[in-house]
Amino acid sequence: MVLSEKNQEIEDEKKKKKKKIEKAREKELKKQKALEKVAKLQAQQTSTNRKKSEKKMVKRGGKEENSEDFLDPETPFGEKKRLSSQMAKQYSPTAVEKSWYAWWELSGFFVADAKSSKPPFVIILPPPNVTGALHIGHALTAAVEDTIIRWRRMSGYNTLWVPGMDHAGIATQVLIPFPI
């Protein structure tokens, strides 16, 4: 009787192991099918994207974009920037702005005219926080102030953007204890 119970337990364990192996195989098959399905979808998307780009090409007249069309035309130093007939896909600051700055300086956009009939226009530029922690408010404020001061300068005002006072002095003293 003891022997038959042990045989029964051994057979039960064998059945459990067999079931585990079968489940593992099924799981592996499911993973394999899922991977095949993903690969198939990616292949379809790639072919769809190719078809779309071909359709765009046909709509544009069959021309492929040539990087030579977007080359920065030669602009003599200090003259107004000449732009190419077509705009490049990506913005390249060095190509676009290298001639602008010299032209702005020679045109006198950065020089205030003391004899101007227009009143002075001053904005105080707050310094960055002593903690060094900046946020979107700082960036937005600086961008808006920069735009306003440039617009006023180009409109003929005597503009001045003064590095100014510490707008966060009290908060700074709370965060960073100063030795007395």
Side-chain angles (χ1 to χ4, degrees):
M1 192 144 169
V2 174
L3 189 61
S4 67
E5 285 178 15
K6 282 190 177 184
N7 285 343
Q8 187 67 31
E9 285 178 13
I10 292 172
E11 282 186 39
D12 288 344
E13 279 187 39
K14 284 182 180 178
K15 286 180 184 178
K16 284 181 184 178
K17 283 183 182 179
K18 208 174 193 181
K19 282 184 181 180
K20 279 185 181 181
I21 292 171
E22 286 177 18
K23 281 186 180 181
R25 282 183 188 159
E26 287 176 11
K27 195 173 184 180
E28 200 60 39
L29 282 173
K30 283 183 181 180
K31 281 183 183 179
Q32 190 69 24
K33 285 182 182 179
L35 288 172
E36 288 173 2
K37 195 173 187 179
V38 167
K40 192 175 183 180
L41 285 173
Q42 286 177 343
Q44 286 176 348
Q45 285 179 343
T46 305
S47 67
T48 303
N49 289 342
R50 261 193 237 123
K51 288 177 185 176
K52 284 181 182 178
S53 64
E54 288 172 4
K55 284 181 182 178
K56 282 183 184 178
M57 196 80 79
V58 170
K59 281 184 180 179
R60 290 184 195 150
K63 294 181 191 173
E64 249 188 75
E65 290 184 350
N66 185 1
S67 62
E68 302 252 337
D69 295 340
F70 306 115
L71 284 179
D72 185 35
E74 197 61 38
T75 304
F77 185 79
E79 287 190 17
K80 189 173 181 180
K81 176 83 174 150
R82 295 187 195 130
L83 301 175
S84 63
S85 60
Q86 291 206 350
M87 190 179 241
K89 279 186 172 183
Q90 291 181 324
Y91 177 69
S92 171
T94 52
V96 174
E97 296 175 8
K98 69 182 177 189
S99 300
W100 281 115
Y101 198 82
W103 178 67
W104 289 338
E105 283 183 325
L106 288 173
S107 298
F109 289 139
F110 300 123
V111 180
D113 182 13
K115 297 175 185 172
S116 175
S117 61
K118 295 196 176 187
F121 183 81
V122 180
I123 293 179
I124 297 175
L125 170 67
N129 288 345
V130 175
T131 60
L134 298 177
H135 54 78
I136 192 70
H138 286 85
L140 181 62
T141 299
V144 169
E145 286 181 0
D146 181 51
T147 304
I148 291 171
I149 205 80
R150 286 174 189 253
W151 174 65
R152 291 293 185 152
R153 171 69 52 89
M154 289 182 185
S155 298
Y157 284 78
N158 288 320
T159 58
L160 181 60
W161 198 10
V162 182
M165 59 192 178
D166 184 6
H167 64 292
I170 296 169
T172 301
Q173 292 170 18
V174 170
L175 290 173
I176 302 170
F178 291 100
I180 297 175

